[in-house]
Amino acid sequence: MMVKKIIYTGFFAALVAVSVTSCKTPGIAQREENKNVPASYANNSLDSTNTATIKWKDYFTDPNLAALIDVALKNNQELNITMQEIEISKNEIRARKGEYLPFVGLGAGAGVDKVARYTNIGAMEATTDIRPGKEMPEPLQDYRLGLQANWELDIWKKLRNSKKAAVNRYLASIEGRNFMVTNLIGEIASSYYELLALDNQLAIVQQNIGIQNNALEIVKLQKESARVTELAVQRFRAQVLNTQSLQYDIQQKIVETENRINFLVGRFPQHVERSTQAFTDLVPAAVQTGLPSQLLANRPDIRQAELDLMAAKLDVKVARARFYPSIGISAGIGYQAFNPSYIFKPQSLMYNFAGDLMAPLINRNAIKAEYYSANNKQVQAVYNYEKAILNSYIEVANQLSRVGNLEKSYGLKAQEVEALNQSVNISNDLFKSARADYMEVLMTQRDALESKFDLIETKLQQMEAMVAIYRSLGGGWN
């Protein structure tokens, strides 16, 4: 009895020593995320009304643009690839959930065994009777059928935290999909407005070709009456040819922009239906930025970074739990016999039950490395989260300033176009009455054409700013 007591005491002491030693984890520096943002944007407005809450169909009211976005949300290849990544993340949850549930399997087997006679096992089988007068069969057959179960007790929540981390990554993949939707809608809208701008530029060029052809005919008539030389005729003709070549450059850009849209909506090149409204008549939608703190809830990329951070924190807990002892339970029940006719007899019943405790004691470098890496990734996730917040605020601030400055710029550009249109008429009249040189007419026509192009470009930038600030605020995915 005294010997057994000493043995049990020694085993218990060793068990405690293993547990205490294994529970020691290396200390590392932790870093908490900073969620603080300024109270308002540069306009100092504290109004919480936010354009990001508007549905994209209510924000982009052009029916042709809405139809393109609808098709893209179904057919875009990148979006469909992301949807499969979400399914992969969902399967990861199933895998992690299964790890902390018992593993139960049904097994069956058959075999035959012939041992040498002059061995301890052979000698025992030769002198063993199954029942009086009936020896053990030789060779010995073996048939087995039963259930086997294994279960790791998740006392340190290692497996449950691993499952929670998988859930957060699944949710993060959904937010990644939402962010892609926001960017996809923005890219289609920007390309659509670019297409409208190119249409209007082409119309202006064709209109100018007609004006310049009329001017060329007038110069030819003046040359016949010796009021101008052949030099003036050739300069006017060169101007017409230059403008005619410009229309083909614009037509090529139209084809490329149409095909960019076709790619985004997942279809082969075809004509893109669009509005015929004068591009300069478009009015950007009014935008209300709300409060910077709303970005944390509205921006999918911020929420994705936050969920990745939550998963990284859980990974640290999982890595820490690997230093602790793990407890496993295994059990089995079934039938085993050397003859199939005996296998379901009560005497053929077999079962087993065992428990084990295992803790890392010596050479824990791999566990330490995994733990350090998990902590480094958690700190990295903190920086990514803070970066997403800072980036979103700066994007909104930039676009907000851009909207205001473009509005002022467009007003001045419109006045410039009006002034140059009048200059063209004046220069033509002066040229007809020989009070202006033909170079003045050519330069005025060129300046007028460039100013109209600049006006359309500024309008395009206005529409793109309207799209960009909607995306920056986190609109479009809901």
Side-chain angles (χ1 to χ4, degrees):
M1 290 295 294
M2 182 61 70
V3 174
K4 287 185 178 180
K5 185 175 181 180
I6 292 173
I7 292 174
Y8 290 153
T9 303
F11 176 76
F12 179 74
L15 182 63
V16 172
V18 169
S19 301
V20 170
T21 304
S22 64
C23 288
K24 290 181 179 179
T25 56
I28 57 171
Q30 294 284 342
R31 188 179 188 280
E32 293 298 324
E33 66 274 15
N34 180 12
K35 298 183 179 181
N36 295 327
V37 292
S40 65
Y41 298 104
N43 59 0
N44 296 320
S45 173
L46 296 177
D47 186 1
S48 61
T49 305
N50 199 314
T51 298
T53 60
I54 300 175
K55 304 288 185 183
W56 67 263
K57 287 188 177 181
D58 297 325
Y59 190 74
F60 299 110
T61 56
D62 188 319
N64 294 307
L65 174 56
L68 290 171
I69 294 174
D70 265 331
V71 175
L73 294 179
K74 297 174 186 175
N75 297 341
N76 181 264
Q77 300 298 334
E78 289 295 329
L79 195 57
N80 289 332
I81 291 171
T82 302
M83 292 300 296
Q84 294 308 308
E85 291 177 356
I86 291 175
E87 292 301 315
I88 293 171
S89 298
K90 187 187 295 185
N91 293 332
E92 189 69 19
I93 295 175
R94 294 192 184 100
R96 298 286 79 77
K97 182 179 180 181
E99 287 183 351
Y100 65 81
L101 297 175
F103 291 89
V104 180
L106 174 65
V112 63
D113 187 23
K114 171 66 174 72
V115 297
R117 172 65 179 82
Y118 298 109
T119 62
N120 59 339
I121 297 177
M124 285 188 293
E125 287 183 352
T127 58
T128 301
D129 290 344
I130 300 171
R131 55 177 179 266
K134 188 172 178 65
E135 297 181 354
M136 291 281 290
E138 188 180 7
L140 184 65
Q141 301 179 42
D142 184 25
Y143 299 94
R144 300 178 304 279
L145 178 66
L147 296 173
Q148 187 69 33
N150 296 283
W151 187 23
E152 180 180 349
L153 300 182
D154 193 25
I155 57 176
W156 312 113
K157 297 185 178 181
K158 175 181 69 177
L159 302 178
R160 277 172 286 181
N161 284 332
S162 180
K163 181 215 168 188
K164 289 179 181 178
V167 170
N168 283 324
R169 289 195 169 90
Y170 165 69
L171 297 175
S173 67
I174 293 177
E175 295 299 341
R177 178 260 179 195
N178 292 339
F179 189 55
M180 180 173 287
V181 167
T182 296
N183 288 332
L184 177 61
I185 290 173
E187 191 170 355
I188 291 175
S190 294
S191 297
Y192 180 79
Y193 290 129
E194 182 179 349
L195 193 56
L196 296 184
L198 289 170
D199 285 344
N200 277 258
Q201 285 181 345
L202 183 60
I204 290 172
V205 167
Q206 291 172 344
Q207 181 184 10
N208 267 50
I209 290 173
I211 294 173
Q212 290 172 357
N213 274 322
N214 290 335
L216 176 60
E217 294 302 319
I218 292 173
V219 172
K220 288 180 178 178
L221 292 174
Q222 289 185 338
K223 188 219 172 201
E224 292 176 0
S225 60
R227 294 180 58 186
V228 296
T229 64
E230 181 65 19
L231 177 61
V233 174
Q234 293 305 320
R235 290 301 299 265
F236 270 88
R237 183 170 179 272
Q239 182 66 30
V240 172
L241 293 173
N242 178 268
T243 307
Q244 286 176 335
S245 68
L246 185 59
Q247 69 178 332
Y248 297 108
D249 292 337
I250 297 174
Q251 286 175 353
Q252 178 60 30
K253 290 179 181 178
I254 288 174
V255 171
E256 293 176 359
T257 306
E258 279 189 319
N259 287 338
R260 187 194 316 147
I261 293 174
N262 285 322
F263 176 77
L264 292 174
V265 301
R267 67 190 187 190
F268 286 99
Q270 57 185 271
H271 174 72
V272 175
E273 293 294 333
R274 51 199 184 262
S275 171
T276 57
Q277 178 185 2
F279 188 64
T280 52
D281 292 340
L282 294 179
V283 179
V287 175
Q288 293 175 299
T289 57
L291 302 174
S293 58
Q294 293 174 320
L295 291 172
L296 276 65
N298 293 335
R299 289 267 303 215
D301 57 330
I302 293 180
R303 292 205 308 276
Q304 182 183 18
E306 183 180 17
L307 288 164
D308 284 336
L309 174 57
M310 293 169 63
K313 288 181 178 180
L314 288 167
D315 286 342
V316 174
K317 293 181 180 180
V318 172
R320 184 186 296 119
R322 299 189 190 280
F323 289 97
Y324 305 151
S326 60
I327 299 176
I329 296 176
S330 61
I333 186 170
Y335 294 93
Q336 185 173 14
F338 59 78
N339 191 312
S341 62
Y342 296 155
I343 197 167
F344 291 112
K345 291 183 178 295
Q347 296 87 342
S348 299
L349 178 68
M350 66 168 185
Y351 58 84
N352 61 74
F353 182 84
D356 60 80
L357 176 69
M358 182 63 66
L361 183 62
I362 299 175
N363 193 7
R364 301 186 299 171
N365 288 333
I367 301 176
K368 287 181 180 179
E370 187 176 352
Y371 180 59
Y372 289 138
S373 294
N375 278 275
N376 291 336
K377 289 179 181 177
Q378 185 261 342
V379 174
Q380 186 182 54
V382 170
Y383 288 127
N384 283 333
Y385 180 53
E386 293 176 346
K387 174 187 172 184
I389 294 175
L390 178 61
N391 179 64
S392 65
Y393 180 88
I394 290 176
E395 279 186 2
V396 174
N398 286 344
Q399 295 304 326
L400 190 60
S401 174
R402 186 184 180 198
V403 167
N405 287 327
L406 284 172
E407 185 178 0
K408 298 172 185 174
S409 176
Y410 184 80
L412 296 174
K413 289 287 184 184
Q415 294 179 40
E416 179 187 359
V417 169
E418 179 62 29
L420 286 171
N421 283 338
Q422 293 180 15
S423 298
V424 170
N425 295 330
I426 293 171
S427 64
N428 287 334
D429 291 340
L430 291 174
F431 180 70
K432 291 176 185 178
S433 59
R435 295 168 60 191
D437 184 76
Y438 69 89
M439 287 301 299
E440 293 180 89
V441 177
L442 288 174
M443 293 303 297
T444 304
Q445 288 180 350
R446 185 178 302 172
D447 291 345
L449 179 60
E450 290 179 356
S451 70
K452 290 175 183 177
F453 272 37
D454 289 343
L455 183 66
I456 291 178
E457 182 65 30
T458 305
K459 174 60 71 174
L460 175 60
Q461 291 177 9
Q462 275 191 298
M463 303 307 293
E464 289 177 339
M466 179 193 78
V467 174
I469 196 167
Y470 182 60
R471 185 197 64 82
S472 299
L473 290 170
W477 61 269
N478 52 354

